[in-house]
């Protein structure tokens, strides 16, 4: 079944119907219409999957998808157009540009925690770039996946954008096929398997993985405001967000204050019993429930800690004085448990972060601009947000992606289009003006070698600027070819016409 769908998508792509911009725009408009018309059904499916509030789904997923589609529609002609580049003396009369072109058939493997955004955002880029795409939603978010399978063929081309259902077996079958790009969102363990499978065909991959995103709170900042924002980012979607703050780093002197501010904020957000709150979600399944509960073994929560296996419910939980080398600090939590690790100063914070795998996100709460600059310069992460959490994800102009163990490649907005395009180098020249090429042909002598050397070492020239005007004027006035080229070179480099340069060129 998987092979048949793949073959059908490949044949549809090779037919060329996904290439015209008019077709791409039509498919993007159709996807936009699907999101708008089926918002209620999508929200209902997510309520069944993870008890997501009907108000959160538009804010956390659907509006972002609509914005990406709108941006792609508005900018597609610009993104897909040839991109002129600078030239050197040897190519000054040539047409030189970069042409974005489709890769072919893309495999998109979505994730269950945000099953619509993390599946459809890559699809928007795949459509915009002119590709076919096989969509594999996560089997864990079953209601959302079934709805996506039912809806997508009603709005998009059935051959170019098929949906494949199933679990591990079906995913493995897909990974055996020769896709032109694989876009995977999920955990690092499966990410390694995806990359290994892709390597057999030399297939490029985009891996959006995750990891333990640190959150540093400086003792001199507004701790109450910092905790309010952290509490939202950590516990929204029941902590099942790849860029959620995984743990807090702070000095011992403010740890008690941090705990109390989080406690008060949780009371405001979810009431005395979050289990009864319509705004608080649930863990996706029993397996993940057991995994998260086991991470808390041996700790006495200072906030929360309650759980109910029958509902996959874990209360918003805070643990303090967590040892840096504990099991809790070795793996991504991906749930509503927030450890606090104490550090002595900013040097300790930077060392702590750099001793571990590069995180998907870094959060810094600080009012000192020099300290913020130092934190950014002396650490690395997929992205960074200062004095808030997760907001860098919402901006389509910023590339979203990991580094090292937290992933490779990036997307959002034009970055998705570029990620799923081949940037083809194009140089078109005439068969005329053969005299320009003589310096590179044998038999060589000192004069020819010197001319070729000078031309090759010439600076790049932006022919869209005044250098092109001067070249045209020089040609009209009947100045020789080499003088014309030197005028362009000198103007581009901002130099004076010195006698030694001319003498060196002709001798």
């Amino acid at each position: 079944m998987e092979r048949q769908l793949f073959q059908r998508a490949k044949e549809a792509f090779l037919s060329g119907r996904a290439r015209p911009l008019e077709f791409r725009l039509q498919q993007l408009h159709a996807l936009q219409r699907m999101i708008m018309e089926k918002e209620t059904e999508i929200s209902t499916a997510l309520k069944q999957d993870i008890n997501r509030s009907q108000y959160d789904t538009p804010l956390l997923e659907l509006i972002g998808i609509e914005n990406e589609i709108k941006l792609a529609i508005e900018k597609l002609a610009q993104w897909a157009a040839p991109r002129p580049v600078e030239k050197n003396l040897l190519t000054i009369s040539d047409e030189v540009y970069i042409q974005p072109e489709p890769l072919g058939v893309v495999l998109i493997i979505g994730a269950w925690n945000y099953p619509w955004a993390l599946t459809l955002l890559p699809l928007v880029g795949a459509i915009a770039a002119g590709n076919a795409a096989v969509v594999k939603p996560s089997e864990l978010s079953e209601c959302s996946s079934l709805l996506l399978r039912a809806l997508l063929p009603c709005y998009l081309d059935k051959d170019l954008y098929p949906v494949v259902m199933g679990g591990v077996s079906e995913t493995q079958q897909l990974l055996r096929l020769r896709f032109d790009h694989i876009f995977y969102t999920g955990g690092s363990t499966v990410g390694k398997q995806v990359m290994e499978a892709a390597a057999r065909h030399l297939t490029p991959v985009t891996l959006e993985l995750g990891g333990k995103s640190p959150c540093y709170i400086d003792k001199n900042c507004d701790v109450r405001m910092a905790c309010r924002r952290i509490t939202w980012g950590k516990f929204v979607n029941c902590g099942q967000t790849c860029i959620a703050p995984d743990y807090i780093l702070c000095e011992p002197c403010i740890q008690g204050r941090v705990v109390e501010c989080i406690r008060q904020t949780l009371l405001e957000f979810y009431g005395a019993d979050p289990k009864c709150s319509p705004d608080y979600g649930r863990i996706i399944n029993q397996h993940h429930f057991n995994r998260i509960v086991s991470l808390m073994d041996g700790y006495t929560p200072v906030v929360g800690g309650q759980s109910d296996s029958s509902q996959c419910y874990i209360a918003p939980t805070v643990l303090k004085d967590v040892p840096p080398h504990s099991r809790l600090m070795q793996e991504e939590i991906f749930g509503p448990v927030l450890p606090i690790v104490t550090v002595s100063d900013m040097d300790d914070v930077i060392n702590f972060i750099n001793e571990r795998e590069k995180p998907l996100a870094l959060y810094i709460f600080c009012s000192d601009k020099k300290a913020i600059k130092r934190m950014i310069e002396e650490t690395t992460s997929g992205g960074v947000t200062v004095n808030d959490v997760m907001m860098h994800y919402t901006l389509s102009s910023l590339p979203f992606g990991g580094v090292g163990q937290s992933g490779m490649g990036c997307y959002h907005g034009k970055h998705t289009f570029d990620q799923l395009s081949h940037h083809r180098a194009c140089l078109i020249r005439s068969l005329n003006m053969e005299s320009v090429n003589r310096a590179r042909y044998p038999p060589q002598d000192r004069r020819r070698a010197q001319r070729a050397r000078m031309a090759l070492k010439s600076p790049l020239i932006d022919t869209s600027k005044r250098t092109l005007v001067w070249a045209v004027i020089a040609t009209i006035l009947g100045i020789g070819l080499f003088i014309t080229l030197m005028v362009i070179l000198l103007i581009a480099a901002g130099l004076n016409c010195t006698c030694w340069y001319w003498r060196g060129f002709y001798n």
Side-chain angles (χ1 to χ4, degrees), residues 367-425:
S367 54
D368 184 337
K369 290 184 178 179
K370 289 184 178 179
I372 293 169
K373 184 178 180 182
R374 184 188 171 203
M375 281 280 291
I376 293 174
E377 288 180 348
E378 297 185 22
T379 62
T380 186
S381 61
V384 59
T385 294
V386 177
N387 292 325
D388 209 337
V389 297
M390 307 201 302
M391 295 308 293
H392 63 290
Y393 177 89
T394 67
L395 199 56
S396 293
S397 54
L398 286 175
F400 179 80
V403 58
Q405 292 293 306
S406 59
M408 63 180 65
C410 61
Y411 72 123
H412 285 188
K414 183 175 180 289
H415 305 288
T416 320
F417 178 90
D418 287 340
Q419 185 81 174
L420 299 179
S421 296
H422 168 57
H423 294 82
R424 193 177 193 180

Side-chain angles (χ1 to χ4, degrees), residues 220-238:
N220 296 316
C221 78
D222 185 337
V223 174
R224 184 184 66 83
M225 192 60 66
C227 290
R228 184 179 180 83
R229 295 176 185 181
I230 293 167
T231 301
W232 169 77
K234 177 62 181 180
F235 299 110
V236 70
N237 210 45
C238 205

Side-chain angles (χ1 to χ4, degrees), residues 208-365:
E208 300 297 337
L209 304 180
K212 297 185 73 64
S213 297
C215 181
Y216 169 62
I217 306 177
D218 185 79
K219 64 182 178 182
N220 296 316
C221 78
D222 185 337
V223 174
R224 184 184 66 83
M225 192 60 66
C227 290
R228 184 179 180 83
R229 295 176 185 181
I230 293 167
T231 301
W232 169 77
K234 177 62 181 180
F235 299 110
V236 70
N237 210 45
C238 205
Q240 298 165 120
T241 305
C242 61
I243 52 171
D246 191 88
Y247 60 94
I248 288 176
L249 295 171
C250 68
E251 294 184 29
C253 61
I254 64 167
Q255 183 178 212
R257 199 158 138 230
V258 167
V259 170
E260 190 54 38
C261 287
I262 294 174
R263 187 198 314 276
Q264 293 172 5
T265 305
L266 285 170
L267 186 63
E268 176 191 348
F269 286 179
Y270 305 115
D273 185 4
K275 190 176 182 181
C276 300
S277 171
D279 297 303
Y280 190 71
R282 296 295 184 269
I283 304 303
I284 185 68
N285 59 23
Q286 198 67 46
H287 168 73
H288 283 282
F289 172 86
N290 294 336
R291 178 187 61 81
I292 296 166
V293 169
S294 70
L295 288 175
M296 294 190 287
D297 287 347
Y299 296 97
T300 302
V302 289
V303 175
Q306 302 86 359
S307 63
D308 182 347
S309 175
S310 66
Q311 291 190 27
C312 287
Y313 166 79
I314 299 176
T317 300
V318 180
L319 307 172
K320 72 174 195 174
D321 293 319
V322 174
H325 301 292
S326 62
R327 184 190 162 209
L328 194 62
M329 293 300 295
Q330 302 308 308
E331 60 184 84
E332 184 178 8
I333 296 169
F334 219 69
V337 178
L338 181 59
I340 301 176
V341 179
T342 57
V343 288
S344 56
D345 52 26
M346 185 164 287
D347 289 333
D348 196 14
V349 172
I350 292 171
N351 290 335
F352 189 96
I353 294 169
N354 289 339
E355 287 170 356
R356 288 157 176 78
E357 298 290 356
K358 298 172 183 178
L360 182 56
L362 169 63
Y363 302 116
I364 305 164
F365 286 85

Side-chain angles (χ1 to χ4, degrees), residues 466-479:
R466 60 178 182 172
T467 53
L468 183 59
V469 176
W470 281 105
V472 172
I473 293 172
T475 303
I476 292 172
L477 292 175
I479 302 176

